[in-house]
């Protein structure tokens, strides 16, 4: 009974830990690491309150999942105790594989390894430690379970993950337009033929959810300052990796040096050593390293680190059409001449890219509305909101980043 603790969450108030297995997973060192992983990466550069962690988010998801299970059971949907526990485990651990600052590492010092793949490896390791207690949770997490609605609660276009992070990120950034009524959305859930649906009276809550998601992506997750800060962080790690590969010794924590000195792929993560080293790596390793590297002899590494530490970022412009080569070359010429750099070195400071936003994907795990007549229809067809069809189209914008001044 001592393990059935109550936590106080700023979003939902008191959260109850549902059983002893969830308590033991929360207490495990792998999960406690999430206290040191920022939920929103570099977004605190724009929104000073956005310092909440993946730990906060995972606990919030368990709370919402408990509500979802209770709602579905009340409506006559059978969810066994084993399935219930598996849902709690899967949603608790769904983000356990995130690296420092959530996404930066995936694009820099490991070779094409996603956080979902690492999450699965952590879950499999924990399953060994907990004598197979997570077997069903892993099946649901992978989307392989025979009852699709359980998998949809973990990962879909209207899942518990999104229901929490939109509400939580809106709260911590202070961006009220992103706030969604997670509790009402969950109350409107039902199941038909083992697939998740939303009852007709919840249609406007779903509309608000999709619109809020679109707004949060443009205004927060893809905010141009957050974007350039994350790109700089990725380039810091790429430059550090490049230097160590040429024999330059950098000062950093042992876990970070391990990933800088070795080419790590998904196959390496299956080894116990690599996963244990990854567990030791968090935001603090990166911040500490950058504080040392900002005084390094290498112009590129030191300047990139100073930009982030001092928040003196690159200029970023977002456009509706691709950036012209002529515009890019002009910035390259000026910067290379002013600082005696090669084009390869200058490309750490001058670069282009694109960002995409699709609030709702019509062809992927649709959000289906259940009418009182029993008819089921996709939200885009069911909604009378004129913009909802437009929101299902991918919007692509293009950006260019370059120094505000020559160093």
């Amino acid at each position: 009974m001592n393990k059935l603790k109550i936590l106080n969450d700023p979003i939902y108030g008191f959260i109850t830990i549902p059983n002893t297995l969830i308590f033991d997973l929360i207490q495990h060192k792998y999960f406690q690491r999430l206290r040191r992983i920022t939920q929103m990466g570099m977004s605190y550069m724009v929104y000073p309150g956005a310092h909440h962690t993946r730990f906060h988010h995972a606990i919030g998801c368990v709370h919402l999942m408990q509500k979802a299970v209770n709602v579905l059971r009340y409506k006559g949907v059978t969810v066994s105790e084993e399935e219930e526990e598996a849902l709690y485990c899967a949603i608790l651990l769904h983000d356990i594989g995130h690296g420092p600052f959530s996404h930066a590492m995936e694009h820099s010092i490991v070779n094409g390894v996603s956080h979902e793949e690492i999450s699965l490896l952590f879950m499999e390791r924990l399953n060994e430690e907990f004598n197979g207690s997570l077997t069903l949770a892993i099946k649901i997490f992978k989307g392989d379970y025979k009852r699709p609605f359980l998998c949809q609660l973990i990962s879909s276009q209207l899942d518990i993950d999104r229901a929490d992070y939109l509400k939580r990120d809106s709260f911590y950034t202070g961006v009220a337009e992103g706030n969604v009524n997670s509790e009402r959305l969950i109350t409107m859930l039902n199941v038909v033929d083992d697939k998740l649906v939303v009852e007709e009276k919840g249609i406007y809550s779903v509309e608000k959810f999709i619109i809020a998601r679109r707004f949060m992506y443009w205004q927060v997750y893809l905010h141009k300052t957050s974007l350039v800060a994350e790109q700089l962080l990725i380039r810091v790690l790429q430059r550090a990796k490049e230097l160590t590969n040429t024999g330059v010794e950098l000062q950093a924590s042992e876990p970070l040096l391990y990933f800088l000195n070795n080419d790590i792929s998904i196959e390496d993560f299956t080894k116990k050593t690599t996963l244990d080293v990854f567990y030791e790596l968090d935001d603090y390793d990166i911040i500490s390293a950058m504080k040392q590297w900002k005084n390094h002899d290498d112009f590129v590494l030191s300047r990139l680190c100073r930009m982030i530490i001092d928040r003196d970022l690159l200029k970023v412009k977002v456009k509706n059409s691709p950036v012209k080569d002529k515009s890019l070359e002009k910035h390259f010429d000026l910067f290379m001449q002013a600082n005696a750099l090669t084009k390869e070195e200058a490309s750490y400071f001058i670069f282009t890219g694109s960002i995409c936003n699709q609030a709702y994907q019509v062809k992927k795990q649709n959000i289906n509305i259940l009418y009182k007549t029993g008819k089921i229809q996709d939200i885009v067809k069911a909604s009378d909101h004129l913009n909802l069809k437009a929101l299902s189209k991918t919007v692509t914008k293009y950006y260019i980043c370059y120094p505000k001044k020559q160093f």
Side-chain angles (χ1 to χ4, degrees), residues 157-158 162 166 170 175-181 185 203-221 357-361 367 379-380 383-392:
Q157 293 201 77
L158 184 61
R162 294 182 187 190
L166 285 174
S170 168
V175 178
E177 292 86 348
N179 190 16
V180 294
N181 192 339
L185 277 167
I203 192 167
Y204 300 115
S205 297
V206 176
E207 288 175 356
K208 169 73 164 58
F209 172 82
I210 293 171
I211 292 165
R213 187 165 181 267
R214 177 184 183 274
F215 188 93
M216 285 294 283
Y217 267 85
W218 283 135
Q219 189 70 20
V220 179
Y221 307 131
N357 189 358
Q358 187 179 13
Y360 180 69
Q361 298 178 38
I367 300 175
I379 181 64
V380 171
S383 172
D384 58 7
H385 199 296
L386 294 174
N387 288 332
L388 217 54
K389 197 166 187 178
L391 295 183
S392 65

Side-chain angles (χ1 to χ4, degrees), residues 133-367:
S133 301
L134 302 179
T135 302
L136 182 55
I138 290 170
K139 207 169 184 180
I140 292 172
F141 178 79
K142 290 165 71 175
D144 293 340
Y145 192 53
K146 61 184 178 182
R147 306 187 73 190
F149 81 93
L150 297 176
C151 305
Q152 288 176 302
L153 286 169
I154 302 296
S155 179
S156 66
Q157 293 201 77
L158 184 61
D159 57 26
I160 297 301
D161 176 30
R162 294 182 187 190
D164 181 80
Y165 79 63
L166 285 174
K167 192 173 184 70
R168 190 168 298 277
D169 295 350
S170 168
F171 176 85
Y172 279 100
T173 56
V175 178
E177 292 86 348
N179 190 16
V180 294
N181 192 339
S182 303
E183 288 88 344
R184 175 165 170 78
L185 277 167
I186 288 169
T187 305
M188 295 297 110
L189 293 178
N190 210 328
V191 172
V192 176
D193 296 330
D194 266 336
K195 291 179 182 173
L196 212 57
V197 293
V198 181
E199 291 169 354
E200 184 182 354
K201 56 190 173 183
I203 192 167
Y204 300 115
S205 297
V206 176
E207 288 175 356
K208 169 73 164 58
F209 172 82
I210 293 171
I211 292 165
R213 187 165 181 267
R214 177 184 183 274
F215 188 93
M216 285 294 283
Y217 267 85
W218 283 135
Q219 189 70 20
V220 179
Y221 307 131
L222 298 176
H223 188 287
K224 64 177 186 176
T225 306
S226 300
L227 174 72
V228 73
E230 182 156 320
Q231 287 297 321
L232 284 171
L233 180 58
I234 289 168
R235 280 160 172 74
V236 163
L237 296 173
Q238 287 174 338
R239 183 61 174 179
K241 179 97 172 170
E242 186 181 329
L243 290 173
T244 53
N245 285 343
T246 57
V248 177
E249 288 191 16
L250 295 176
Q251 287 187 308
S253 67
E254 286 187 22
L256 181 52
L257 285 175
Y258 177 86
F259 282 95
L260 291 177
N261 290 325
N262 298 284
D263 288 326
I264 305 297
S265 63
I266 188 62
E267 288 74 24
D268 297 296
F269 271 101
T270 58
K271 300 169 188 170
K272 188 175 189 301
T273 307
T274 302
L275 203 60
D276 282 341
V277 175
F278 182 82
Y279 140 72
E280 298 277 358
L281 192 65
D282 55 52
D283 292 6
Y284 298 102
D285 295 88
I286 308 299
I287 292 287
S288 176
M290 286 194 295
K291 288 174 74 175
Q292 295 183 65
W293 296 345
K294 71 185 178 73
N295 298 314
H296 195 271
D297 293 339
D298 181 71
F299 176 89
V300 175
L301 184 64
S302 62
R303 290 291 177 176
L304 290 173
C305 290
R306 276 186 221 173
M307 283 179 165
I308 296 174
I309 295 295
D310 300 335
R311 201 194 177 279
D312 184 14
L313 308 173
L314 296 171
K315 178 79 173 172
V316 56
K317 287 186 178 178
V318 179
K319 307 179 178 219
N320 292 323
S321 55
V323 178
K324 294 178 181 175
D325 292 340
K326 190 177 178 183
S327 174
L328 195 62
E329 290 303 320
K330 179 184 74 175
H331 291 294
F332 266 115
D333 292 342
L334 286 170
F335 193 66
M336 287 162 63
Q337 288 173 17
N339 300 286
L341 298 175
T342 64
K343 189 163 186 178
E344 186 186 0
E345 290 170 329
S347 66
Y348 279 96
F349 302 91
I350 302 162
F351 49 88
T352 61
S354 62
I355 46 177
C356 298
N357 189 358
Q358 187 179 13
Y360 180 69
Q361 298 178 38
V362 177
K363 296 179 181 178
K364 182 186 175 186
Q365 295 178 324
N366 304 43
I367 300 175

Side-chain angles (χ1 to χ4, degrees), residues 36-204:
R36 305 186 298 277
I37 305 292
T38 310
Q39 168 77 7
M40 294 181 64
M42 304 300 289
S43 291
Y44 68 87
M45 291 274 186
V46 184
Y47 300 99
H51 277 288
H52 56 303
T53 65
R54 292 276 162 188
F55 184 92
H56 292 125
H57 166 57
I59 297 293
C61 285
V62 171
H63 171 71
L64 291 183
M65 188 63 83
Q66 289 180 77
K67 284 189 171 294
V69 169
N70 290 335
V71 163
L72 293 177
R73 278 180 173 163
Y74 179 76
K75 293 178 181 179
V77 180
T78 303
V79 180
S80 70
E81 288 185 12
E82 187 187 7
E83 288 170 338
E84 178 186 8
E85 185 172 78
L87 280 173
Y88 298 156
C89 293
I91 201 66
L92 179 76
L93 303 175
H94 77 282
D95 274 347
I96 200 170
H98 269 289
F101 291 100
S102 287
H103 292 285
M105 189 173 166
E106 294 175 46
H107 307 290
S108 54
I109 56 175
V110 293
N111 299 325
V113 183
S114 70
H115 70 270
E116 290 93 351
E117 291 173 302
I118 302 172
S119 291
L120 183 58
L121 291 172
F122 268 128
M123 289 172 74
E124 288 169 348
R125 175 74 64 79
L126 287 166
N127 197 31
E128 292 173 17
E129 288 188 33
F130 285 84
N131 301 316
S133 301
L134 302 179
T135 302
L136 182 55
I138 290 170
K139 207 169 184 180
I140 292 172
F141 178 79
K142 290 165 71 175
D144 293 340
Y145 192 53
K146 61 184 178 182
R147 306 187 73 190
F149 81 93
L150 297 176
C151 305
Q152 288 176 302
L153 286 169
I154 302 296
S155 179
S156 66
Q157 293 201 77
L158 184 61
D159 57 26
I160 297 301
D161 176 30
R162 294 182 187 190
D164 181 80
Y165 79 63
L166 285 174
K167 192 173 184 70
R168 190 168 298 277
D169 295 350
S170 168
F171 176 85
Y172 279 100
T173 56
V175 178
E177 292 86 348
N179 190 16
V180 294
N181 192 339
S182 303
E183 288 88 344
R184 175 165 170 78
L185 277 167
I186 288 169
T187 305
M188 295 297 110
L189 293 178
N190 210 328
V191 172
V192 176
D193 296 330
D194 266 336
K195 291 179 182 173
L196 212 57
V197 293
V198 181
E199 291 169 354
E200 184 182 354
K201 56 190 173 183
I203 192 167
Y204 300 115

